[in-house]
Coordinates of all heavy atoms in Angstrom, one line a residue:
M167 N 16.4 -3.6 1.7 CA 16.4 -4.2 0.4 C 15.8 -3.3 -0.7 O 16.3 -3.1 -1.7 CB 15.7 -5.5 0.6 CG 15.3 -6.5 -0.3 SD 14.6 -6.7 -1.8 CE 15.3 -5.7 -3.0
G168 N 14.7 -2.7 -0.3 CA 14.1 -1.8 -1.2 C 13.3 -0.7 -0.5 O 12.8 -0.9 0.6
Q169 N 13.3 0.5 -1.2 CA 12.6 1.6 -0.6 C 11.1 1.8 -1.1 O 10.9 1.5 -2.3 CB 13.3 2.9 -0.8 CG 14.6 3.1 0.0 CD 15.2 4.5 -0.1 OE1 15.0 5.2 -1.1 NE2 15.9 4.8 0.9
V170 N 10.3 2.2 -0.2 CA 8.9 2.5 -0.6 C 8.6 3.9 0.0 O 8.9 4.3 1.1 CB 7.9 1.6 0.0 CG1 6.5 2.0 -0.4 CG2 8.1 0.2 -0.5
T171 N 8.0 4.8 -0.9 CA 7.5 6.1 -0.4 C 6.0 6.1 -0.3 O 5.3 5.7 -1.3 CB 8.0 7.2 -1.4 OG1 9.5 7.2 -1.4 CG2 7.5 8.6 -0.9
Y172 N 5.5 6.4 0.9 CA 4.1 6.6 1.1 C 3.8 8.1 1.1 O 4.4 8.8 1.8 CB 3.7 6.0 2.5 CG 4.1 4.6 2.7 CD1 5.4 4.3 3.0 CD2 3.2 3.5 2.6 CE1 5.8 2.9 3.3 CE2 3.6 2.2 2.8 CZ 4.9 1.9 3.2 OH 5.3 0.6 3.4
I173 N 2.9 8.5 0.2 CA 2.5 9.9 0.2 C 1.1 10.1 0.7 O 0.1 9.5 0.1 CB 2.6 10.5 -1.3 CG1 4.0 10.2 -1.8 CG2 2.3 12.0 -1.3 CD1 4.2 10.7 -3.2
A174 N 1.0 10.8 1.8 CA -0.3 11.1 2.4 C -1.1 12.0 1.5 O -0.6 12.7 0.6 CB -0.2 11.7 3.8
H175 N -2.5 12.1 1.7 CA -3.3 12.9 0.9 C -2.9 14.4 1.0 O -3.1 15.1 0.0 CB -4.8 12.8 1.3 CG -5.7 13.3 0.3 ND1 -6.3 14.5 0.4 CD2 -6.2 12.8 -0.9 CE1 -7.1 14.7 -0.6 NE2 -7.0 13.7 -1.4
D176 N -2.3 14.8 2.1 CA -1.9 16.2 2.2 C -0.5 16.4 1.7 O 0.1 17.5 1.8 CB -2.0 16.7 3.7 CG -1.1 15.9 4.6 OD1 -0.3 15.0 4.1 OD2 -1.1 16.1 5.8
G177 N 0.1 15.4 1.1 CA 1.4 15.6 0.4 C 2.6 15.2 1.3 O 3.7 15.2 0.8
V178 N 2.4 14.9 2.5 CA 3.5 14.5 3.4 C 4.0 13.1 3.0 O 3.2 12.2 2.7 CB 3.0 14.4 4.9 CG1 4.2 13.9 5.8 CG2 2.6 15.8 5.3
R179 N 5.3 13.0 2.8 CA 5.9 11.8 2.3 C 6.7 11.1 3.4 O 7.4 11.7 4.2 CB 6.9 12.1 1.2 CG 6.3 12.9 0.0 CD 7.4 13.5 -0.8 NE 8.1 12.5 -1.6 CZ 7.8 12.2 -2.9 NH1 6.8 12.9 -3.5 NH2 8.4 11.3 -3.6
H180 N 6.6 9.8 3.4 CA 7.4 8.9 4.3 C 8.1 7.9 3.4 O 7.4 7.1 2.7 CB 6.6 8.2 5.3 CG 6.0 9.1 6.4 ND1 4.8 9.8 6.2 CD2 6.5 9.5 7.6 CE1 4.6 10.5 7.3 NE2 5.6 10.3 8.1
T181 N 9.4 7.9 3.4 CA 10.2 6.8 2.7 C 10.8 5.9 3.7 O 11.6 6.4 4.6 CB 11.2 7.5 1.8 OG1 10.5 8.3 0.8 CG2 12.0 6.4 1.0
I182 N 10.6 4.6 3.5 CA 11.2 3.7 4.4 C 11.8 2.5 3.6 O 11.5 2.3 2.5 CB 10.1 3.1 5.4 CG1 9.1 2.3 4.7 CG2 9.6 4.2 6.3 CD1 8.2 1.5 5.6
E183 N 12.6 1.8 4.3 CA 13.3 0.6 3.7 C 12.6 -0.6 4.1 O 12.3 -0.8 5.3 CB 14.8 0.6 4.2 CG 15.7 -0.4 3.6 CD 16.3 0.0 2.3 OE1 16.3 1.2 2.0 OE2 16.8 -0.9 1.6
L184 N 12.3 -1.5 3.2 CA 11.7 -2.8 3.5 C 12.6 -3.9 3.2 O 13.4 -3.8 2.3 CB 10.4 -3.0 2.7 CG 9.2 -2.0 2.8 CD1 8.0 -2.6 2.0 CD2 8.8 -1.9 4.3
A185 N 12.5 -4.9 4.0 CA 13.2 -6.2 3.7 C 12.6 -6.9 2.6 O 11.4 -6.7 2.4 CB 13.3 -7.1 5.0
E186 N 13.3 -7.8 1.9 CA 12.7 -8.6 0.8 C 11.6 -9.4 1.4 O 11.8 -10.1 2.5 CB 13.7 -9.4 0.1 CG 13.1 -10.2 -1.1 CD 14.1 -10.7 -2.1 OE1 15.3 -10.6 -1.8 OE2 13.7 -11.1 -3.1
G187 N 10.4 -9.4 0.8 CA 9.3 -10.2 1.3 C 8.4 -9.5 2.3 O 7.3 -10.0 2.6
E188 N 8.9 -8.4 2.9 CA 8.1 -7.7 3.8 C 6.9 -7.0 3.1 O 7.1 -6.4 2.0 CB 9.0 -6.7 4.6 CG 8.4 -6.0 5.8 CD 9.4 -5.2 6.5 OE1 10.3 -4.7 5.9 OE2 9.2 -5.1 7.8
T189 N 5.8 -6.9 3.7 CA 4.7 -6.3 3.0 C 4.7 -4.8 3.3 O 5.3 -4.3 4.3 CB 3.3 -6.8 3.5 OG1 3.1 -6.4 4.9 CG2 3.2 -8.3 3.4
L190 N 4.1 -4.0 2.4 CA 4.0 -2.6 2.5 C 3.2 -2.2 3.8 O 3.5 -1.2 4.4 CB 3.3 -1.9 1.3 CG 4.2 -1.6 0.1 CD1 4.9 -2.8 -0.4 CD2 3.5 -0.8 -0.9
M191 N 2.3 -3.0 4.2 CA 1.5 -2.7 5.4 C 2.4 -2.9 6.6 O 2.5 -2.0 7.5 CB 0.3 -3.6 5.5 CG -0.6 -3.4 6.7 SD 0.0 -4.1 8.3 CE -0.5 -5.8 8.0
I192 N 3.1 -3.9 6.7 CA 4.0 -4.1 7.9 C 5.1 -3.0 7.9 O 5.4 -2.5 9.0 CB 4.7 -5.5 7.8 CG1 3.7 -6.6 8.1 CG2 5.8 -5.6 8.8 CD1 3.1 -6.6 9.5
G193 N 5.6 -2.7 6.8 CA 6.6 -1.6 6.7 C 6.1 -0.3 7.2 O 6.7 0.4 8.0
A194 N 4.8 0.0 6.9 CA 4.2 1.2 7.3 C 3.9 1.2 8.8 O 4.3 2.1 9.5 CB 2.9 1.5 6.5
T195 N 3.3 0.1 9.3 CA 2.9 0.1 10.7 C 4.1 0.0 11.6 O 4.1 0.6 12.7 CB 1.9 -1.1 11.0 OG1 2.5 -2.3 10.6 CG2 0.6 -0.8 10.2
S196 N 5.2 -0.7 11.2 CA 6.3 -0.8 12.1 C 7.2 0.4 12.0 O 8.2 0.6 12.8 CB 7.1 -2.1 11.7 OG 7.6 -2.0 10.4
N197 N 7.0 1.3 11.1 CA 7.7 2.6 11.0 C 6.8 3.8 11.3 O 7.2 4.9 11.0 CB 8.4 2.7 9.6 CG 9.5 1.8 9.5 OD1 10.7 2.1 9.9 ND2 9.3 0.7 8.9
A198 N 5.7 3.6 11.9 CA 4.8 4.7 12.3 C 4.4 5.6 11.2 O 4.2 6.8 11.3 CB 5.4 5.5 13.5
V199 N 4.2 5.0 10.0 CA 3.7 5.8 8.9 C 2.2 6.0 9.1 O 1.4 5.0 9.2 CB 3.9 5.1 7.5 CG1 3.2 5.9 6.4 CG2 5.4 4.9 7.3
P200 N 1.7 7.2 9.2 CA 0.3 7.4 9.5 C -0.6 7.1 8.3 O -0.2 7.3 7.2 CB 0.2 8.9 9.9 CG 1.4 9.5 9.3 CD 2.5 8.5 9.2
G201 N -1.8 6.6 8.6 CA -2.8 6.3 7.5 C -2.9 4.9 7.2 O -3.8 4.5 6.4
I202 N -2.0 4.0 7.7 CA -2.2 2.6 7.4 C -2.2 1.9 8.8 O -1.2 1.9 9.5 CB -1.0 2.1 6.6 CG1 -1.0 2.7 5.2 CG2 -1.0 0.5 6.5 CD1 0.0 2.2 4.2
D203 N -3.4 1.3 9.1 CA -3.6 0.7 10.4 C -3.3 -0.8 10.4 O -2.8 -1.3 11.4 CB -5.0 1.0 10.9 CG -5.2 2.5 11.2 OD1 -4.2 3.2 11.4 OD2 -6.4 2.9 11.2
G204 N -3.7 -1.5 9.4 CA -3.5 -2.9 9.3 C -4.2 -3.7 10.4 O -3.6 -4.6 11.0
D205 N -5.4 -3.3 10.7 CA -6.2 -3.9 11.8 C -6.3 -5.4 11.8 O -6.4 -6.1 12.8 CB -7.6 -3.3 11.9 CG -7.6 -1.8 12.3 OD1 -6.5 -1.4 12.8 OD2 -8.6 -1.2 12.1
C206 N -6.3 -6.0 10.6 CA -6.5 -7.5 10.6 C -5.2 -8.3 10.6 O -5.2 -9.5 10.5 CB -7.4 -7.9 9.4 SG -6.5 -7.8 7.8
G207 N -4.1 -7.6 10.6 CA -2.8 -8.2 10.7 C -2.3 -8.7 9.3 O -1.3 -9.3 9.3
G208 N -3.0 -8.3 8.3 CA -2.5 -8.6 7.0 C -3.2 -9.7 6.2 O -2.6 -10.3 5.3
C209 N -4.4 -10.1 6.6 CA -5.1 -11.2 6.0 C -6.2 -10.7 5.0 O -7.1 -11.5 4.8 CB -5.6 -12.2 7.0 SG -6.6 -11.6 8.2
A210 N -6.1 -9.5 4.5 CA -7.0 -9.0 3.5 C -8.5 -9.0 4.0 O -9.4 -9.2 3.3 CB -6.9 -9.7 2.2
A211 N -8.6 -8.7 5.3 CA -10.0 -8.7 5.9 C -10.4 -7.4 6.6 O -11.5 -7.4 7.2 CB -10.0 -9.8 7.0
C212 N -9.7 -6.3 6.4 CA -10.1 -5.1 7.1 C -10.2 -3.9 6.2 O -11.0 -3.0 6.4 CB -9.3 -4.8 8.3 SG -7.6 -4.3 7.9
G213 N -9.3 -3.8 5.2 CA -9.3 -2.7 4.3 C -8.6 -1.4 4.9 O -8.6 -0.4 4.2
T214 N -8.0 -1.5 6.1 CA -7.4 -0.3 6.6 C -6.0 -0.1 6.1 O -5.2 0.8 6.6 CB -7.4 -0.4 8.2 OG1 -6.6 -1.5 8.6 CG2 -8.8 -0.5 8.8
C215 N -5.6 -0.9 5.2 CA -4.2 -0.7 4.6 C -4.3 -0.3 3.1 O -3.4 -0.5 2.4 CB -3.4 -2.0 4.7 SG -4.1 -3.4 3.7
H216 N -5.5 0.2 2.7 CA -5.7 0.6 1.3 C -4.7 1.6 0.9 O -4.5 2.6 1.6 CB -7.2 1.1 1.3 CG -7.6 1.7 0.0 ND1 -8.7 2.6 -0.1 CD2 -7.2 1.5 -1.3 CE1 -8.9 2.9 -1.4 NE2 -8.0 2.2 -2.1
V217 N -4.2 1.4 -0.3 CA -3.3 2.4 -0.9 C -3.6 2.5 -2.4 O -4.2 1.6 -3.0 CB -1.8 2.1 -0.8 CG1 -1.4 2.1 0.7 CG2 -1.4 0.8 -1.4
H218 N -3.3 3.7 -3.0 CA -3.3 3.8 -4.5 C -1.9 3.7 -5.0 O -1.0 4.4 -4.5 CB -3.9 5.2 -4.8 CG -5.3 5.4 -4.4 ND1 -6.4 4.8 -5.0 CD2 -5.8 6.1 -3.4 CE1 -7.5 5.1 -4.4 NE2 -7.2 5.9 -3.4
I219 N -1.7 2.8 -6.0 CA -0.4 2.7 -6.5 C -0.1 3.9 -7.5 O -0.9 4.2 -8.3 CB -0.3 1.4 -7.3 CG1 -0.7 0.2 -6.4 CG2 1.1 1.2 -7.9 CD1 0.2 -0.1 -5.2
D220 N 1.1 4.4 -7.4 CA 1.5 5.5 -8.3 C 1.4 5.0 -9.7 O 1.8 3.9 -10.0 CB 2.9 6.0 -7.9 CG 3.2 7.3 -8.7 OD1 2.9 8.4 -8.2 OD2 3.8 7.2 -9.8
P221 N 0.9 5.9 -10.6 CA 0.7 5.4 -12.0 C 2.0 4.8 -12.6 O 2.0 3.9 -13.4 CB 0.3 6.7 -12.8 CG -0.3 7.5 -11.7 CD 0.4 7.2 -10.4
A222 N 3.2 5.3 -12.2 CA 4.4 4.8 -12.8 C 4.8 3.4 -12.4 O 5.6 2.8 -13.0 CB 5.6 5.8 -12.4
W223 N 4.1 2.9 -11.3 CA 4.4 1.6 -10.7 C 3.3 0.6 -10.9 O 3.4 -0.5 -10.5 CB 4.7 1.8 -9.2 CG 6.0 2.5 -9.0 CD1 6.3 3.8 -8.9 CD2 7.3 1.8 -9.0 NE1 7.6 4.0 -8.7 CE2 8.2 2.8 -8.8 CE3 7.7 0.5 -9.1 CZ2 9.6 2.5 -8.7 CZ3 9.0 0.2 -9.0 CH2 10.0 1.2 -8.8
L224 N 2.2 1.0 -11.6 CA 1.1 0.0 -11.7 C 1.5 -1.3 -12.4 O 1.1 -2.4 -11.9 CB -0.1 0.7 -12.4 CG -1.0 1.5 -11.6 CD1 -2.0 2.3 -12.5 CD2 -1.8 0.7 -10.6
A225 N 2.2 -1.2 -13.5 CA 2.5 -2.4 -14.2 C 3.5 -3.3 -13.4 O 3.3 -4.5 -13.4 CB 3.2 -2.0 -15.5
A226 N 4.4 -2.7 -12.7 CA 5.4 -3.5 -11.9 C 4.7 -4.2 -10.8 O 5.0 -5.3 -10.5 CB 6.5 -2.6 -11.4
V227 N 3.8 -3.5 -10.1 CA 3.1 -4.1 -9.0 C 2.2 -5.3 -9.4 O 2.1 -6.3 -8.7 CB 2.3 -3.1 -8.2 CG1 1.4 -3.7 -7.1 CG2 3.2 -2.1 -7.5
G228 N 1.5 -5.1 -10.5 CA 0.7 -6.2 -11.0 C -0.8 -6.0 -10.7 O -1.1 -5.1 -9.9
P229 N -1.6 -6.9 -11.2 CA -3.1 -6.7 -11.0 C -3.5 -7.0 -9.6 O -2.9 -7.8 -8.8 CB -3.7 -7.7 -12.0 CG -2.6 -8.7 -12.2 CD -1.3 -8.0 -12.0
V230 N -4.6 -6.5 -9.2 CA -5.3 -6.8 -7.9 C -5.7 -8.2 -7.9 O -6.2 -8.8 -8.9 CB -6.4 -5.8 -7.7 CG1 -7.6 -6.0 -8.7 CG2 -6.9 -5.8 -6.3
T231 N -5.6 -8.8 -6.7 CA -6.1 -10.2 -6.6 C -7.6 -10.3 -6.2 O -8.2 -9.3 -5.8 CB -5.3 -10.9 -5.4 OG1 -5.6 -10.3 -4.2 CG2 -3.8 -10.9 -5.7
D232 N -8.2 -11.4 -6.3 CA -9.6 -11.6 -6.0 C -9.8 -11.3 -4.5 O -10.9 -10.7 -4.2 CB -10.1 -13.0 -6.3 CG -10.2 -13.2 -7.8 OD1 -10.2 -12.2 -8.6 OD2 -10.2 -14.4 -8.3
A233 N -8.9 -11.7 -3.7 CA -9.1 -11.4 -2.2 C -9.1 -9.9 -2.0 O -9.9 -9.4 -1.1 CB -8.0 -12.1 -1.4
E234 N -8.2 -9.2 -2.6 CA -8.2 -7.8 -2.5 C -9.5 -7.1 -3.0 O -10.1 -6.3 -2.4 CB -7.0 -7.2 -3.2 CG -5.7 -7.5 -2.6 CD -4.5 -7.0 -3.4 OE1 -4.1 -7.8 -4.3 OE2 -4.1 -5.9 -3.2
K235 N -9.9 -7.6 -4.2 CA -11.2 -7.0 -4.7 C -12.3 -7.2 -3.8 O -13.1 -6.3 -3.6 CB -11.5 -7.8 -6.0 CG -10.9 -7.2 -7.3 CD -11.5 -7.9 -8.5 CE -10.5 -7.9 -9.6 NZ -10.7 -9.0 -10.6
D236 N -12.4 -8.4 -3.1 CA -13.5 -8.6 -2.2 C -13.5 -7.7 -1.1 O -14.6 -7.2 -0.6 CB -13.4 -10.1 -1.7 CG -13.8 -11.1 -2.7 OD1 -14.3 -10.7 -3.8 OD2 -13.5 -12.3 -2.5
M237 N -12.3 -7.4 -0.6 CA -12.2 -6.4 0.6 C -12.4 -5.0 0.2 O -13.0 -4.2 0.8 CB -10.9 -6.7 1.3 CG -10.8 -6.0 2.6 SD -12.0 -6.6 3.8 CE -13.0 -5.1 4.1
L238 N -11.8 -4.6 -1.0 CA -11.8 -3.2 -1.4 C -13.2 -2.7 -1.7 O -13.4 -1.5 -1.7 CB -10.8 -3.1 -2.6 CG -9.3 -3.1 -2.3 CD1 -8.5 -3.2 -3.5 CD2 -9.0 -1.8 -1.5
Q239 N -14.1 -3.6 -2.0 CA -15.4 -3.1 -2.3 C -16.0 -2.4 -1.1 O -17.0 -1.6 -1.2 CB -16.4 -4.2 -2.7 CG -16.6 -5.3 -1.7 CD -17.5 -6.4 -2.3 OE1 -18.5 -6.2 -2.9 NE2 -17.1 -7.6 -2.0
F240 N -15.5 -2.6 0.1 CA -16.0 -1.9 1.3 C -15.2 -0.7 1.7 O -15.5 0.0 2.7 CB -16.0 -2.9 2.5 CG -16.8 -4.2 2.2 CD1 -16.2 -5.4 2.1 CD2 -18.2 -4.1 2.1 CE1 -17.0 -6.5 1.8 CE2 -19.0 -5.2 1.9 CZ -18.4 -6.4 1.7
A241 N -14.1 -0.4 1.0 CA -13.2 0.7 1.4 C -13.7 2.0 0.7 O -14.4 1.9 -0.3 CB -11.8 0.4 1.0
D242 N -13.3 3.1 1.3 CA -13.7 4.4 0.7 C -12.7 4.8 -0.4 O -11.5 4.5 -0.3 CB -13.6 5.5 1.8 CG -14.7 5.4 2.8 OD1 -15.8 4.8 2.4 OD2 -14.6 5.8 3.9
G243 N -13.2 5.5 -1.4 CA -12.3 6.0 -2.4 C -11.6 5.0 -3.3 O -10.5 5.3 -3.8
V244 N -12.2 3.9 -3.5 CA -11.6 2.9 -4.3 C -11.5 3.3 -5.8 O -12.5 3.8 -6.3 CB -12.3 1.5 -4.1 CG1 -11.8 0.5 -5.1 CG2 -12.2 1.1 -2.7
A245 N -10.4 3.0 -6.4 CA -10.2 3.3 -7.8 C -9.5 2.1 -8.5 O -9.1 1.1 -7.8 CB -9.4 4.6 -8.0
A246 N -9.2 2.3 -9.8 CA -8.5 1.2 -10.5 C -7.1 0.9 -10.0 O -6.6 -0.2 -10.2 CB -8.5 1.5 -12.0
D247 N -6.5 1.9 -9.4 CA -5.2 1.8 -8.9 C -5.2 1.3 -7.4 O -4.1 1.4 -6.7 CB -4.4 3.1 -9.0 CG -5.1 4.2 -8.3 OD1 -6.1 4.1 -7.6 OD2 -4.5 5.4 -8.5
S248 N -6.3 1.0 -6.8 CA -6.4 0.6 -5.4 C -5.8 -0.8 -5.2 O -6.0 -1.7 -5.9 CB -7.8 0.6 -4.9 OG -8.3 1.9 -4.9
R249 N -5.0 -0.9 -4.1 CA -4.5 -2.2 -3.6 C -4.5 -2.3 -2.1 O -4.6 -1.2 -1.5 CB -3.1 -2.4 -4.1 CG -2.9 -2.5 -5.6 CD -3.5 -3.8 -6.2 NE -3.0 -5.0 -5.6 CZ -2.0 -5.7 -6.1 NH1 -1.4 -5.3 -7.2 NH2 -1.6 -6.8 -5.5
L250 N -4.5 -3.5 -1.6 CA -4.3 -3.6 -0.1 C -2.8 -3.8 0.1 O -2.1 -4.7 -0.5 CB -5.0 -4.9 0.4 CG -6.5 -4.8 0.3 CD1 -7.1 -6.2 0.8 CD2 -7.1 -3.7 1.1
S251 N -2.2 -2.9 0.9 CA -0.8 -2.9 1.0 C -0.3 -4.1 1.8 O 0.9 -4.4 1.8 CB -0.3 -1.6 1.7 OG -0.8 -1.4 3.0
C252 N -1.2 -4.8 2.5 CA -0.7 -6.1 3.1 C -0.5 -7.2 2.2 O 0.0 -8.3 2.5 CB -1.7 -6.5 4.2 SG -3.4 -7.0 3.6
Q253 N -0.9 -7.0 0.9 CA -0.8 -8.1 -0.1 C 0.3 -7.8 -1.1 O 0.5 -8.5 -2.0 CB -2.1 -8.2 -0.8 CG -3.3 -8.5 0.1 CD -3.1 -9.8 0.9 OE1 -2.9 -10.9 0.3 NE2 -3.2 -9.7 2.2
I254 N 1.1 -6.7 -0.8 CA 2.2 -6.4 -1.7 C 3.5 -6.6 -1.0 O 3.7 -5.9 0.1 CB 2.1 -4.9 -2.2 CG1 0.7 -4.7 -3.0 CG2 3.3 -4.6 -3.2 CD1 0.4 -3.3 -3.3
R255 N 4.3 -7.5 -1.4 CA 5.6 -7.8 -0.8 C 6.8 -7.1 -1.5 O 6.8 -7.1 -2.8 CB 5.8 -9.3 -0.7 CG 4.8 -9.9 0.2 CD 5.1 -11.4 0.4 NE 4.0 -12.0 1.3 CZ 4.0 -12.0 2.6 NH1 5.0 -11.4 3.2 NH2 3.1 -12.5 3.3
M256 N 7.7 -6.6 -0.8 CA 8.9 -6.0 -1.4 C 9.7 -7.1 -2.1 O 9.9 -8.2 -1.7 CB 9.8 -5.4 -0.3 CG 11.1 -4.8 -0.9 SD 10.9 -3.7 -2.3 CE 10.0 -2.3 -1.7
R257 N 10.1 -6.7 -3.3 CA 11.0 -7.6 -4.1 C 11.9 -6.6 -4.9 O 11.6 -5.4 -5.0 CB 10.1 -8.5 -5.0 CG 9.1 -7.8 -5.9 CD 8.3 -8.8 -6.7 NE 7.7 -8.1 -7.8 CZ 6.4 -7.7 -7.9 NH1 5.6 -8.1 -6.9 NH2 6.0 -7.1 -8.9
P258 N 12.9 -7.1 -5.5 CA 13.9 -6.3 -6.2 C 13.3 -5.3 -7.2 O 13.7 -4.1 -7.2 CB 14.9 -7.2 -6.8 CG 14.8 -8.4 -6.0 CD 13.4 -8.6 -5.5
D259 N 12.4 -5.7 -8.0 CA 11.9 -4.8 -9.0 C 10.9 -3.7 -8.5 O 10.5 -2.9 -9.2 CB 11.2 -5.6 -10.2 CG 10.0 -6.3 -9.7 OD1 10.0 -7.0 -8.7 OD2 9.0 -6.2 -10.4
L260 N 10.6 -3.8 -7.2 CA 9.7 -2.8 -6.6 C 10.5 -1.7 -5.8 O 9.9 -0.9 -5.1 CB 8.7 -3.4 -5.7 CG 7.6 -4.3 -6.4 CD1 6.6 -4.8 -5.5 CD2 7.0 -3.5 -7.6
D261 N 11.9 -1.8 -5.8 CA 12.7 -0.8 -5.1 C 12.4 0.6 -5.7 O 12.5 0.8 -6.9 CB 14.2 -1.1 -5.3 CG 15.1 -0.2 -4.5 OD1 14.6 0.5 -3.6 OD2 16.3 -0.1 -4.8
G262 N 11.9 1.5 -4.8 CA 11.6 2.8 -5.3 C 10.1 3.1 -5.4 O 9.7 4.2 -5.8
L263 N 9.3 2.0 -5.1 CA 7.9 2.1 -5.3 C 7.3 3.3 -4.6 O 7.7 3.7 -3.5 CB 7.3 0.8 -4.7 CG 5.7 0.7 -4.6 CD1 5.1 0.7 -6.0 CD2 5.4 -0.6 -3.9
V264 N 6.3 3.9 -5.2 CA 5.5 5.0 -4.6 C 4.1 4.7 -4.5 O 3.5 4.2 -5.5 CB 5.7 6.3 -5.5 CG1 4.9 7.5 -4.9 CG2 7.2 6.7 -5.6
V265 N 3.5 4.9 -3.3 CA 2.0 4.7 -3.2 C 1.4 5.9 -2.5 O 2.1 6.7 -1.8 CB 1.7 3.4 -2.3 CG1 2.3 2.2 -3.0 CG2 2.3 3.6 -0.9
H266 N 0.1 6.1 -2.8 CA -0.6 7.3 -2.2 C -1.7 6.8 -1.3 O -2.4 5.8 -1.6 CB -1.2 8.1 -3.4 CG -0.2 8.5 -4.4 ND1 0.4 9.8 -4.4 CD2 0.4 7.8 -5.5 CE1 1.2 9.9 -5.4 NE2 1.3 8.7 -6.1
L267 N -1.8 7.5 -0.2 CA -2.8 7.1 0.8 C -4.2 7.8 0.5 O -4.2 9.0 0.1 CB -2.4 7.5 2.2 CG -1.1 6.9 2.6 CD1 -0.8 7.3 4.1 CD2 -1.2 5.4 2.5
P268 N -5.3 7.1 0.6 CA -6.6 7.7 0.4 C -6.9 8.8 1.3 O -6.4 8.8 2.5 CB -7.6 6.5 0.6 CG -6.7 5.3 0.5 CD -5.4 5.7 1.0
E269 N -7.7 9.7 0.9 CA -8.1 10.9 1.7 C -8.7 10.5 3.0 O -8.5 11.1 4.1 CB -9.0 11.8 1.0 CG -9.4 13.1 1.7 CD -10.2 14.0 0.9 OE1 -10.7 13.6 -0.2 OE2 -10.4 15.2 1.3
S270 N -9.4 9.4 3.0 CA -10.1 8.9 4.3 C -9.1 8.4 5.3 O -9.5 8.2 6.4 CB -11.1 7.8 3.9 OG -10.5 6.8 3.2
Q271 N -7.8 8.1 4.9 CA -6.9 7.5 5.8 C -5.8 8.5 6.2 O -5.0 8.9 5.3 CB -6.2 6.3 5.2 CG -7.2 5.1 5.0 CD -6.6 4.0 4.2 OE1 -7.4 3.4 3.4 NE2 -5.3 3.7 4.3
H272 N -5.8 9.1 7.4 CA -4.8 10.0 7.8 C -4.7 10.0 9.3 O -5.3 9.3 9.9 CB -5.1 11.4 7.3 CG -6.5 11.9 7.6 ND1 -6.9 12.3 8.8 CD2 -7.6 11.9 6.7 CE1 -8.2 12.6 8.7 NE2 -8.6 12.4 7.5
Ligands
LIG381 FE1 -6.3 -5.8 6.8 FE2 -4.6 -5.3 4.8 S1 -4.2 -5.2 6.9 S2 -6.7 -5.8 4.8

C-alpha cells in the first residue's frame, strides 16, 4: 500500500512496502531491517523502535503522542523529530515516508 525507507546511521537504505495500518516497527522487524528491535511488541514500552522522521515528512506524520514522549525520555539521541515507529501506521498520505535510525541502533 505504501513504501517506507529506513536509512541507517551509516547511510544504508532499506525500502519496504507496508500494508495499510501496519506499523513502521512491524514492517521493519518482519523484513529484517537492522536497527529496529521492537522488543515490547509495539506497546510503546521499550524504545527499541526509535526513529527520526525525515524533515520533509514531519508535518505529514504529525506530533508525538504522550505515550511516546514518556518512553522516548529513556532513549538515546532523542530530538524533536524522534518518534516510536511502533506508533506510526501506514496510511495513504505516508506513502514514500523516509525515517532515519539513531546512531545507537544498528
Ligand atoms: Fe517497544 Fe516501540 S516496539 S516502544
Side-chain angles (χ1 to χ4, degrees):
M167 175 313 50
Q169 287 193 332
V170 178
T171 297
Y172 304 79
I173 304 178
H175 195 262
D176 62 4
V178 175
R179 302 166 74 96
H180 290 87
T181 298
I182 63 169
E183 184 85 15
L184 295 188
E186 184 161 10
E188 191 172 30
T189 69
L190 271 63
M191 182 279 282
I192 291 294
T195 55
S196 59
N197 286 278
V199 174
I202 295 182
D203 292 340
D205 288 345
C206 74
C209 54
C212 71
T214 63
C215 68
H216 176 201
V217 295
H218 298 286
I219 306 299
D220 189 86
W223 287 92
L224 272 174
V227 170
V230 67
T231 65
D232 287 343
E234 288 175 273
K235 273 188 209 159
D236 287 349
M237 190 64 243
L238 283 166
Q239 64 182 312
F240 302 110
D242 288 335
V244 173
D247 58 3
S248 289
R249 296 292 304 267
L250 295 176
S251 61
C252 67
Q253 303 301 305
I254 302 171
R255 295 185 181 277
M256 177 48 68
R257 54 181 201 256
D259 65 315
L260 294 185
D261 182 19
L263 176 62
V264 177
V265 299
H266 303 265
L267 300 183
E269 184 175 9
S270 58
Q271 292 168 218
H272 48 78

